[in-house]
Amino acid sequence: MATSASASQGVDLAATLQEILSNIKSLQQEHSQLASAVDAINGRVNTLAEIKEVHDEAAKGTPALKPQPSSHGHGQHLSDGESRASPFVLHGQDGTHASPPPATPASPALSSSPNIDGSRRSSYSSKIILTSYPGQSGVDPLPMNWGNKDPNLRGPVVVSRNHSTIRKRNAIGAHGGSYSIYYALAVASKNLTLDHKPDFTNTEPAAKIGPFPQWHDPKKIVAMDPLGHLAPWLFKDIINRDDVEIRPTIAVTKAHMKIPELENSVAAGRLKPDGKICLNDLGELAVTKFAVEPVWYLPGVAERFGIDEATLRRSLFENTGGSYPELITRGDIKLFLPPIGGLTVYCFGDPAKMSDPNVRLALRVHDECNGSDVFGSDICTCRPYLIFGIEEAVKEAQKGGSGVVIYFRKEGRALGEVTKYLVYNARKRGTDRASEYFKRTENIAGVKDMRFQALMPDILHWLGITKIDRMLSMSNMKHDAIVEQGIPIHERVPIPDEMIPEDSRVEIDAKIHAGYFTTGKIMTLEELNNVQGRAWEDVDH
């Protein structure tokens, strides 16, 4: 009997434990769902609060600019008082002026009959709009006063070619940067309809940023929309009233980051898990991420490069194969969303501290290098310097400061990966000496570097950064661009020698000789001639 009772009690205990475990799992699931719901509510509340701050900021200080009267519809209200008429003139092949076409410029009609092979028909109409002109019938762009602190007077960035939006566009180009081509493929293959409008429910920024005075200074931010993270919510009334499509050009989220080298950093004692920023012994990091698509204010971009706007527009038009004729025909439109990659900000610690002048900031500005950053090629210092930058940024955040890494899509010094590999071939089939490093690139590309850091500091202004305590970069171009924008750099930190791969000495020694910052030795040209990379078949070097 005693044995039977004990067995019965054991069964009851096991059943009770199983019930408790089931209840705990149910509570955990309910807690997770509740947390998600609370986070969604917080996202909406924080976004509404940030929109209110933007409006409050516009209401104080200097009076906001008022839009100029328009001769029709919304009109295109220019921030610099320029005339509506396009300053550009197109010429025919015979040298004569090309007159603007009728209200609906068109190509020969496209066939709308079913394809014999059963493939999908185009969903387009029979006429193709080649370009548009100021004052053209039906063209009624929404106002854009770049730099106006009042968002209602500044206006949203409108670039969609949705049928309800196309004639109200106040920007040239397309959303998505280089990915806009895939959008075109999706539409052409009928995997996506032109009428699709995004549902932005629960997509609000996961962290608050700004507003900062730099947001309405047209000389400080010319390469991104400072209101891009708030656009669909900030301009909700315009979307509803005018039936236009307005999309974000900035998205803010939170994530965990796992990089193999950071586990080694923890094991070596360089990083200390704190459960907040460095989460565990694996070196897993908590991070806030900001993705930014480029939006160029053409007058400001031209000024930043010391050229006139007409020269910039013509070069952009001609050197993209004539892809954007409105650069020439629409001098009244001042915004361009270029077909290039954007950038991502990785913020470690409290994002609010990035703009706090009373705490220290460590910053790494890094330009994309797929071969090294992703696949571990040792011909350059890119991945090691990126890892070092992340590690130092985390350390600064853990000490109560702010750590930031900004990753730009400028593959191969913005020359592209094909050009970069051609240079690699020329180097490895030659002598691959540091003294000839830049010459190899110039021989192929005609220029050493096309990253042109003049636009890079815009993201720093948007983040509210006013000084940099530790700049984790040796680049003289990045340093000079930042300082010229009025942001002081207190300390420059080179990559430690022990992190430099042997085969990348050619690159780093050549760069130091050309002006990169170092606390070590700057080689003579004769010494550079003795720095040589390994051959493809050399496995011992």
Side-chain angles (χ1 to χ4, degrees), residues 261 363-367 372-373 377 380-393 404-405 407 470-475 478 491-497 499-501 504 507-508 511-512 516-519:
E261 289 93 333
L363 172 71
R364 166 77 183 159
V365 175
H366 189 94
D367 293 324
S372 177
D373 295 343
S377 171
C380 60
T381 59
C382 295
R383 183 179 175 95
Y385 215 158
L386 177 60
I387 299 300
F388 176 69
I390 292 171
E391 188 175 304
E392 292 300 306
V404 180
V405 174
Y407 195 91
R470 301 185 75 225
M471 180 71 179
L472 308 164
S473 170
M474 300 165 70
S475 169
K478 293 174 185 173
E491 180 188 4
R492 302 169 72 182
V493 185
I495 184 173
D497 276 350
M499 295 187 74
I500 300 175
S504 69
E507 173 217 34
I508 199 67
K511 286 181 175 180
I512 290 171
Y516 268 44
F517 172 78
T518 183
T519 55

Side-chain angles (χ1 to χ4, degrees), residues 84-102:
R84 165 175 302 281
S86 171
F88 308 102
V89 179
L90 292 176
H91 294 275
Q93 291 183 344
D94 59 356
T96 59
H97 296 323
S99 301

